[in-house]
Amino acid sequence: MAQIILDHVEKTYSGDVKAIDDLSLDVKDGEFMVFVGPSGCGKSTALRSIAGLEEITAGKIQIGDRVVNDLPPKDRDIAMVFQNYALYPHMTVEQNLAFGLQLRKTPKEEIKRRVDEAAKMLGLEQYLKRKPGALSGGQRQRVAMGRAIVREPQAFLMDEPLSNLDAKLRVSMRASLKQLHERLGVTTVYVTHDQVEAMTLGNRVCVLRDGRLQQVDTPQYLFEAPVNLFVAGFIGSPAMNFVHADLVRDDGPTVTFADYKLSVPSEVIEAKQGLADYIGKQVILGIRPSDFEDASLADDRWSRMQVTTSVTEELGTEIHVIFTIDAPPVEHASLTKAADREDDDDTSVAALMGGKSLWTARVSARSRIRPGQAIELAVDTHHLHFFDPNSGLSIGHPKATVGLAEQSA
């Protein structure tokens, strides 16, 4: 096991294209760190730089107690797992697992011990004599992981290893990966574009945009306290709802937008340092879909919004209520990038809405909400998010700095 330190790492390609821009990160010994972000954010380049498959332009990479900038991949004591299994089709599972150790002239007894242990750990014992062509996708991916495990490296580097699997198999493999990490305790850096994988696997999650670090925190803290609009719009599914709003002092602090008024609890104003200075000014308001509820099922103290449903998506455990508000969609460079996710097509949807914003509320499956209904939604205003409309920074966030403001603009 080993700590991995990236110290002001940069990677610039020809044409002055920066794939990694001044990235500093400390991956703790035994930690499961996930790199996540939209396509082209630099997450795979960062991983390949740690592995030595990409030569960095500036900065320092340290694995354990060694600076590895000038070391070739084979000498960095890491093992990689890729999204394509890269198994030798003419070899059995047992031979695939043993091959790398044989190249390193590992004693036969040691090879057998490691292969048997990995096969037992991954449930591959009955498949050792089969060739990859006789295995399912999940079994092949377990063989690929086993080939990394038998190396007993200081760190595992995984580049979207589950992306070729179907949805159900990805869920079971995520659980297997989590259990595997808990058993082995090996430092792991994992790249994915799937935020569900990021949130369920990572001890911490590193959110990247244009090669720059936006925020690194526990999954729950990223969700509850995003540092800027980009992180807020990228983390969470369905995505956070945004609108330009006025923060005013009515009978108490109130946020107004379209034809709505939501009371802001005094403890929210007190908890978010500097938010009181925005009273009388415009902010970007963010509301998570999960902070809505059907008013008939909600706490009486929650604020209310009268809306007309456009679409309802009944998912069994919950219902997604999609509706419009009479306010233009928020346009900000951070949100344009954050919307670059495979499950979103916000730009084309916005064009169809005639200048209105399309919002989503996630309510209880017990709700009787149906499409086309005029309904009342309740909002838990204790969890409202406020962002500076210029910088895109979260107002009152302890990690919102000038450096991050530049990244968000």
Side-chain angles (χ1 to χ4, degrees), residues 122-358:
L122 294 165
L124 292 171
E125 293 164 296
Q126 60 185 311
Y127 307 113
L128 286 174
K129 300 305 179 185
R130 292 190 190 180
K131 292 183 178 179
L135 302 177
S136 68
Q139 289 163 350
R140 291 179 197 176
Q141 191 56 276
R142 277 188 277 160
V143 176
M145 290 176 187
R147 197 167 49 185
I149 289 168
V150 297
R151 291 269 313 278
E152 297 184 357
Q154 288 196 85
F156 292 134
L157 306 181
M158 301 188 181
D159 193 359
E160 305 207 43
L162 308 184
S163 62
N164 287 339
L165 306 179
D166 63 56
K168 187 175 182 180
L169 194 50
R170 280 204 303 272
V171 173
S172 63
M173 286 301 295
R174 282 204 307 266
S176 297
L177 265 175
K178 191 81 172 176
Q179 291 170 346
L180 196 60
H181 180 258
E182 288 173 359
R183 289 181 65 178
L184 297 174
V186 178
T187 307
T188 303
V189 180
Y190 187 101
V191 163
T192 182
H193 65 276
D194 184 338
Q195 60 169 299
V196 176
E197 274 183 28
M199 300 290 278
T200 54
L201 285 173
N203 299 133
R204 287 191 299 160
V205 176
C206 168
V207 183
L208 295 170
R209 173 196 173 199
D210 294 336
R212 303 203 77 185
L213 174 64
Q214 297 297 296
Q215 186 174 359
V216 55
D217 270 304
T218 63
Q220 194 62 33
Y221 192 75
L222 280 177
F223 183 83
E224 293 175 353
V227 75
N228 57 28
L229 277 171
F230 177 83
V231 177
F234 189 81
I235 297 295
S237 182
M240 186 182 288
N241 304 296
F242 296 103
V243 68
H244 285 286
D246 293 308
L247 184 60
V248 298
R249 193 178 297 282
D250 202 348
D251 293 334
T254 303
V255 65
T256 66
F257 57 96
D259 296 321
Y260 302 109
K261 286 185 176 182
L262 301 178
S263 297
V264 182
S266 57
E267 54 263 40
V268 173
I269 300 290
E270 293 166 5
K272 296 182 182 292
Q273 186 176 5
L275 182 57
D277 297 335
Y278 282 80
I279 293 178
K281 299 178 182 179
Q282 191 175 77
V283 296
I284 294 176
L285 173 69
I287 306 179
R288 291 273 183 210
S290 53
D291 290 323
F292 286 96
E293 183 53 278
D294 181 332
S296 66
L297 303 172
D299 190 313
D300 291 338
R301 293 169 294 181
W302 288 16
S303 294
R304 263 53 180 172
M305 288 177 62
Q306 301 288 338
V307 307
T308 300
T309 62
S310 299
V311 177
T312 59
E313 298 175 340
E314 298 184 34
L315 304 177
T317 55
E318 62 193 37
I319 299 173
H320 292 176
V321 179
I322 300 170
F323 59 96
T324 60
I325 64 168
D326 193 12
V330 173
E331 295 184 0
H332 196 282
S334 295
L335 292 179
T336 302
K337 289 281 188 177
D340 181 20
R341 305 190 302 190
E342 291 190 356
D343 60 340
D344 285 340
D345 196 3
D346 293 345
T347 304
S348 59
V349 170
L352 294 172
M353 299 314 300
K356 295 184 178 181
S357 295
L358 195 66

Side-chain angles (χ1 to χ4, degrees), residues 366-383:
R366 294 184 291 121
S367 171
R368 293 293 175 260
I369 292 175
R370 293 295 177 265
Q373 278 186 331
I375 58 150
E376 189 174 55
L377 291 174
V379 185
D380 184 356
T381 53
H382 288 86
H383 299 293

Side-chain angles (χ1 to χ4, degrees), residues 94 101 319 388:
E94 186 174 23
L101 297 177
I319 299 173
D388 181 272

Side-chain angles (χ1 to χ4, degrees), residues 12-59:
T12 305
Y13 292 108
S14 59
D16 201 29
V17 177
K18 276 193 176 181
I20 308 175
D21 189 359
D22 195 28
L23 177 59
S24 292
L25 185 67
D26 184 349
V27 183
K28 299 170 185 174
D29 188 4
E31 184 174 27
F32 198 120
M33 173 69 77
V34 178
F35 289 175
V36 72
S39 299
C41 72
K43 53 188 183 292
S44 288
T45 305
L47 189 81
R48 290 171 62 84
S49 297
I50 296 170
L53 301 176
E54 294 278 359
E55 186 178 347
I56 61 175
T57 309

